[in-house]
C-alpha cells in the first residue's frame, strides 16, 4: 500500500501545473511522464520529473527492504501506482523511470545493463519508446542469466521469483506502450 501510494504521486502533473500552468496530460501525447514533459514543458521540468520518478522506485524498494524484504510486491505496487495513480484520476505515466528505480534497487547490475541498452537504442533510433520497451523485454531475459547482485536474495534458489517479478514489470511497461508499439510496427 505504501509503495502504491508513493507511485501515485505524479510529479509530471504537479510540476507542469506549477511551472507551466497546465496539466501535462492535456498536452502532447497526453502521457504523464518525462518524455511528454520534455516536449510540453521543457528540459528542466523533464529532468526533475525523471529523477523524481526514478526515486519513487528507489524509495519504495528501500522501504520494502526495511519492512521485511517484500521487494517484489513493492516494485509491482509502485509501478502500478505510477501508471494508475489514485491521486490523479488513475491516469498516470507509462512506468519506465519508476521501473528503472525499482530494477536498480533490485539488482544494480541488471538495472545498469537495461539502462545502457535503452539509451543506446534511443540514440540510434531516436525513439524513446523503442528503447524503453526493449529494455523492459531485456529485464526478464537478464534474470535468467544473472544470479548475483540481488539486493534481497530469494528463498527460491531457482530464481523463479525474480523471473516472475521481472516478467510482470515488463508486461506493465509493454501494456502502457501498446499504442507506441502499434505505431512502431506500422512504421
Amino acid at each position: 500500500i505504501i509503495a502504491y501510494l508513493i507511485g501515485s504521486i505524479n510529479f509530471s502533473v504537479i510540476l507542469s501545473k506549477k511551472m507551466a500552468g497546465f496539466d501535462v496530460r492535456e498536452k502532447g501525447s497526453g502521457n504523464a511522464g518525462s518524455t511528454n514533459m520534455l516536449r510540453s514543458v521543457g528540459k528542466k521540468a523533464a529532468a526533475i520529473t525523471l529523477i523524481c520518478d526514478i526515486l519513487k522506485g528507489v524509495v519504495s524498494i528501500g522501504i520494502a527492504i526495511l519492512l521485511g524484504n517484500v521487494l517484489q510486491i513493492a516494485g509491482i505496487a509502485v509501478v502500478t501506482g505510477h501508471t494508475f495513480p489514485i491521486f490523479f484520476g488513475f491516469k498516470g505515466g507509462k512506468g519506465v523511470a519508476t521501473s528503472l528505480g525499482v530494477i536498480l534497487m533490485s539488482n544494480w547490475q541488471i538495472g545498469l545493463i537495461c539502462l545502457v541498452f535503452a539509451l543506446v537504442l534511443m540514440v540510434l533510433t531516436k525513439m524513446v519508446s523503442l528503447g524503453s520497451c526493449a529494455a523492459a523485454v531485456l529485464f526478464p531475459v537478464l534474470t535468467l542469466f544473472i544470479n548475483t547482485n540481488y539486493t534481497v536474495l530469494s528463498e527460491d534458489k531457482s530464481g523463479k521469483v525474480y523471473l516472475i517479478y521481472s516478467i510482470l514489470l515488463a508486461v506493465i511497461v509493454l501494456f502502457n506502450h501498446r499504442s507506441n508499439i502499434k505505431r512502431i510496427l506500422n512504421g
Side-chain angles (χ1 to χ4, degrees):
I1 293 171
I2 293 169
Y4 174 79
L5 293 175
I6 290 170
S8 289
I9 302 167
N10 196 304
F11 291 101
S12 63
V13 174
I14 295 166
L15 290 170
S16 65
K17 286 181 178 180
K18 184 164 182 71
M19 297 172 86
F22 60 83
D23 183 334
V24 71
R25 298 173 296 178
E26 298 169 356
K27 303 283 183 177
S29 68
N31 184 47
S34 301
T35 304
N36 198 32
M37 284 292 281
L38 177 64
R39 294 177 185 141
S40 302
V41 183
K43 290 178 185 177
K44 181 179 177 183
I48 295 168
T49 299
L50 178 65
I51 292 166
C52 290
D53 286 350
I54 291 170
L55 286 174
K56 287 194 297 191
V58 169
V59 169
S60 293
I61 297 302
I63 292 170
I65 292 168
L66 291 174
L67 293 178
N69 298 337
V70 287
L71 182 144
Q72 293 89 355
I73 295 168
I76 300 297
V78 70
V79 174
T80 302
H82 178 81
T83 303
F84 304 106
I86 193 168
F87 306 129
F88 296 94
F90 300 100
K91 188 178 179 212
K94 295 185 178 177
V96 175
T98 303
S99 291
L100 175 60
V102 166
I103 296 168
L104 286 169
M105 286 294 287
S106 300
N107 185 313
W108 65 267
Q109 184 181 22
I110 291 175
L112 289 178
I113 293 169
C114 288
L115 175 61
V116 170
F117 182 71
L119 291 174
V120 168
L121 270 179
M122 288 174 198
V123 167
L124 292 176
T125 65
K126 307 282 190 262
M127 289 189 278
V128 175
S129 59
L130 181 61
S132 300
C133 291
V137 170
L138 183 61
F139 178 35
V141 172
L142 291 175
T143 62
L144 290 171
F145 299 103
I146 298 175
N147 298 311
T148 60
N149 300 314
Y150 286 96
T151 304
V152 175
L153 296 177
S154 174
E155 300 292 324
D156 170 30
K157 301 297 183 208
S158 68
K160 288 180 186 171
V161 171
Y162 271 105
L163 179 61
I164 292 167
Y165 164 64
S166 65
I167 290 170
L168 289 172
L169 277 178
V171 166
I172 292 169
V173 170
L174 293 172
F175 175 78
N176 291 336
H177 281 85
R178 62 194 179 281
S179 61
N180 299 73
I181 292 168
K182 286 178 188 172
R183 284 193 298 274
I184 291 169
L185 293 174
N186 290 331

